[in-house]
Amino acid sequence: MVTAIEIIANILIIVFAMIILTAIIALVSFIAFLFGKKFKTFFKKGLWFLFIAPLLWCYGSLIERNQCQVKEINIESEKIPASFNDYKIVQISDLHLRSFKNREKTLQKFVDEINNQDADIVVFTGDLVSYGPWELDALDTILSKIKARDGVYSVLGNHDYSAYSNFADSIQWKYVEELKIRQRDMGWNLLLDENVNLVRDKDTISLIGVENISTHRAFLSYGNLQKAMQDANGSYKILLSHDPTHWELEVKDNPEIDLMLSGHTHAMQFSIFGWSPSSFIFKEVAGLFRHENQYLYVNIGLGETVMKARIGTKPEITVICLHG
């Protein structure tokens, strides 16, 4: 099923490529003129340059999207209780399972790598699917193998609301409910504006999960942070919120939230020397951000949307270790 969004995105990619190609030809013509050379001769000698883009695309589609990187992050805080010192959180995000169709072996490899981290807890920060719960077919058995001592917890991302295929409202929300059930059937604990208090010995930390909240009109907002935080009485509080724009909206400067984990950006599945065009849209694109004693981590995800390739943005598994 090809959606209008994908068609428009691919048209924009083609148009952008044509603009770049035209600019290259114009630049080559100008340089040839400056050096008193014929355009044909000068262009032929530089023709190899035009192969860079398709070669990068092939690399990103055939190789990089099938690899994964494990990023290790250490978070220190006096609020982390002694019983949770060295507590290991594995964060994954943005599976977009449609992108794993006919790639079951790759997904299994990613799951094996997740389990190799020997996590205390695994958290998933949204966008399990791109369009609907049918994307879980034949893949839910693989995802149900993800294990951690304190369980697997998840939240919904903007795509998980099946809002990008013009379904009637009744059908859309039927799909959302099915997705919730199927996550729970996998053994995942879906947090819908709610929290869980994790207890070790006499110490407690809180894991809070909100439905999607965004400052961008294109991305749906359904979450309620205040509701989600009710009865969260841990000395250290971790928030799962899919969209990192929520950080600026109501998390930063909220002393009750110590660490926020997000996804959503994918770093636009393209990065060169650490720069991604996603920075035109998001202030916090990828990685760790700090504001006084608060932290935000943005994971760039495991799957893809629109462009079935990753260039300079390998699928990511984040290992976050807490230190008191």
Side-chain angles (χ1 to χ4, degrees):
M1 179 178 63
V2 180
T3 67
I5 293 175
E6 288 184 310
I7 293 172
I8 293 170
N10 281 289
I11 290 173
L12 289 174
I13 290 171
I14 293 170
V15 170
F16 181 71
M18 291 177 66
I19 292 171
I20 294 296
L21 180 59
T22 302
I24 290 172
I25 292 173
L27 179 61
V28 170
S29 300
F30 180 68
I31 294 173
F33 172 76
L34 289 178
F35 285 90
K37 302 288 184 179
K38 291 183 178 180
F39 170 79
K40 185 176 180 180
T41 301
F42 203 87
F43 184 74
K44 279 185 176 180
K45 290 183 178 180
L47 191 62
W48 61 270
F49 185 79
L50 299 179
F51 288 97
I52 291 178
L55 285 173
L56 281 175
W57 182 278
C58 290
Y59 166 75
S61 178
L62 299 176
I63 298 176
E64 189 161 317
R65 74 191 290 237
N66 294 307
Q67 300 175 337
C68 75
Q69 58 182 330
V70 177
K71 290 194 173 182
E72 297 183 356
I73 304 296
N74 291 300
I75 300 291
E76 296 184 1
S77 173
E78 294 179 353
K79 296 172 69 176
I80 296 170
S83 298
F84 286 89
N85 191 46
D86 296 328
Y87 192 77
K88 187 183 289 187
I89 303 166
V90 168
Q91 180 197 6
I92 55 175
S93 195
D94 296 86
L95 275 160
H96 293 281
L97 287 175
R98 185 171 182 266
S99 65
F100 285 95
K101 185 178 181 180
N102 301 319
R103 295 172 63 227
E104 292 86 354
K105 289 183 179 179
T106 298
L107 183 60
Q108 181 64 63
K109 180 175 69 174
F110 290 174
V111 168
D112 290 342
E113 190 61 53
I114 292 165
N115 287 334
N116 285 342
Q117 306 311 312
D118 190 30
D120 289 298
I121 192 170
V122 172
V123 297
F124 175 75
T125 45
D127 277 1
L128 182 60
V129 299
S130 291
Y131 300 109
W134 57 86
E135 295 174 37
L136 275 161
D137 293 349
L139 299 178
D140 48 4
T141 54
I142 298 175
L143 294 175
S144 66
K145 297 175 184 177
I146 297 176
K147 302 298 179 184
R149 280 178 285 279
D150 289 336
V152 181
Y153 289 83
S154 62
V155 292
L156 298 179
N158 56 297
H159 277 269
D160 293 322
Y161 295 96
S162 295
Y164 298 102
S165 295
N166 297 317
F167 297 121
D169 286 350
S170 59
I171 299 298
Q172 176 190 346
W173 291 105
K174 177 184 175 182
Y175 286 150
V176 175
E177 291 305 313
E178 181 181 343
L179 185 65
K180 293 176 183 178
I181 292 169
R182 294 188 69 166
Q183 286 198 50
R184 289 168 177 149
D185 287 345
M186 292 192 305
W188 292 18
N189 302 284
L190 181 61
L191 299 176
L192 301 167
D193 290 344
E194 52 193 333
N195 65 79
V196 59
N197 291 311
L198 304 169
V199 179
R200 284 193 171 183
D201 296 331
K202 295 181 179 180
D203 296 326
T204 304
I205 65 173
S206 295
L207 183 69
I208 303 160
V210 292
E211 296 199 49
N212 199 62
I213 297 175
S214 178
T215 61
H216 292 148
R217 292 182 180 179
F219 306 125
L220 304 170
S221 289
Y222 293 111
N224 184 325
L225 180 59
Q226 286 67 42
K227 176 184 175 184
M229 292 181 65
Q230 290 178 6
D231 300 320
N233 53 29
S235 60
Y236 191 81
K237 296 181 177 64
I238 302 165
L239 172 67
L240 308 182
S241 182
H242 176 68
D243 192 317
T245 63
H246 186 203
W247 169 257
E248 291 280 348
L249 181 65
E250 61 177 347
V251 177
K252 192 174 78 170
D253 294 320
N254 181 342
E256 289 295 306
I257 303 296
D258 301 293
L259 171 64
M260 173 173 156
L261 303 179
S262 296
H264 186 57
T265 72
H266 300 208
M268 209 171 278
Q269 296 164 219
F270 179 86
S271 178
I272 182 168
F273 302 120
W275 178 84
S276 167
S278 190
S279 60
F280 292 127
I281 303 172
F282 299 100
K283 184 177 179 180
E284 293 85 16
V285 172
L288 186 66
F289 302 87
R290 181 175 181 175
H291 173 71
E292 296 180 354
N293 294 320
Q294 292 178 286
Y295 291 91
L296 163 69
Y297 190 85
V298 182
N299 178 297
I300 62 172
L302 289 169
E304 305 92 34
T305 55
V306 183
M307 182 175 76
K308 293 183 178 180
R310 281 180 171 267
I311 300 169
T313 55
K314 284 183 183 179
E316 178 181 350
I317 296 168
T318 312
V319 179
I320 300 166
C321 196
L322 304 183
H323 302 286

